[in-house]
Structures are given as C-alpha cells and as structure tokens.
C-alpha cells in the first residue's frame, strides 16, 4: 500500500519559517519525481516546487525564488520543503505528490495545513 504522509505544517507568524516533510512508503522512492503543491481557500491547487528522482535538480514554479527550498533524502524516503520568510499569502494546504519517472503512476499525500498569521 502506497502512503505519502506530510508533516510539519502549523501556525506561524509572518516572517517565520517551517519545514514540511513528506515520508513515502510502498514505492521505490528513488524512481519518483517528488513535488509540493499547495491549495489556498477558494483557489486551485498549484505547483510550488519539484525535484528530480536523484535530487540533483530542483525546480520552482509559483513560489518566490529564494524563500522556498525543496530537497530529498532517498535513504529516508522523504522529501522536504523548507519555507522561509513566510507571508500570509503562503497560507494553504500543502500536498506532496510522487510521479514515477516513466509517468506510469502518481500518488498524493493527504496534505498539511500551513497558516501564516499574526
């Protein structure tokens, strides 16, 4: 059974930091491209960052460059999202996604809530 379990979300003040984790089981983790998405209330889910299966190449999409950093530890089957200088606009449910490198399957986690508020 495949599971992606996110953790690390919570309430943080503007300017604060959080590190999200997504622990995978039931898949060959090193064969999957890992991504973080987020969905704010009333908005569509959007891609934030992704990282190649080897971890050699991170890519950033809708997150301002320099504030978010995606990384992975294939030995621990875990992908991370370090978020710094958080802003209220970053408030959302954050999801991780695993996409097989051959795109034959993909899986989602259940999400973790991030709230940035004073």
């Amino acid at each position: 059974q495949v599971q992606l379990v996110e953790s690390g979300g919570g309430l943080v003040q503007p300017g604060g930091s959080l590190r999200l984790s997504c622990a995978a089981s039931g898949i060959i983790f090193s064969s999957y491209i890992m991504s973080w998405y987020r969905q704010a209330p009333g908005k569509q889910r959007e891609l934030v960052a992704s990282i190649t299966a080897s971890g050699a190449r991170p890519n950033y999409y809708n997150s301002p460059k320099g504030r978010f950093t995606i990384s992975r530890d294939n030995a621990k089957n875990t992908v991370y999202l370090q978020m710094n200088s958080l802003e209220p606009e970053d408030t959302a449910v954050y999801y991780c996604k695993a996409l097989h490198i051959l795109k034959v399957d993909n899986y989602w986690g259940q999400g973790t809530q991030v709230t940035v508020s004073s």
Side-chain angles (χ1 to χ4, degrees), residues 8-62:
L11 173 63
V12 63
Q13 292 187 342
S17 298
L18 284 174
R19 187 174 84 151
L20 306 183
S21 300
C22 172
S25 60
I27 59 173
I28 301 174
F29 187 71
S30 59
S31 294
Y32 284 77
I33 300 164
M34 298 302 296
S35 301
W36 285 98
Y37 286 73
R38 67 184 180 184
Q39 187 166 19
K43 295 187 177 181
Q44 288 189 331
R45 192 172 298 189
E46 64 178 10
L47 177 60
V48 174
S50 68
I51 190 165
T52 53
S54 68
R57 192 177 68 186
N59 292 288
Y60 301 94
Y61 300 90
N62 293 292

Side-chain angles (χ1 to χ4, degrees), residues 4 9 14-15 17 25-26 28-30 35 38 41 57 60-61 67 72 76 79 82-83 87 96 103 108 111:
L4 299 178
S17 298
S25 60
I28 301 174
F29 187 71
S30 59
S35 301
R38 67 184 180 184
R57 192 177 68 186
Y60 301 94
Y61 300 90
R67 292 201 298 119
R72 65 190 293 162
K76 295 182 178 179
V79 62
Q82 177 68 44
M83 305 187 295
E87 302 171 354
C96 69
K103 298 179 171 59
W108 289 89

Side-chain angles (χ1 to χ4, degrees), residues 61-78:
Y61 300 90
N62 293 292
S63 57
K65 292 181 181 179
R67 292 201 298 119
F68 291 4
T69 303
I70 188 171
S71 62
R72 65 190 293 162
D73 185 338
N74 283 355
K76 295 182 178 179
N77 289 0
T78 301

Side-chain angles (χ1 to χ4, degrees), residues 88-106:
E89 293 72 25
D90 297 317
T91 295
V93 178
Y94 284 71
Y95 299 89
C96 69
K97 176 184 174 181
L99 173 65
H100 193 273
I101 55 176
L102 299 178
K103 298 179 171 59
V104 294
D105 56 18
N106 69 90

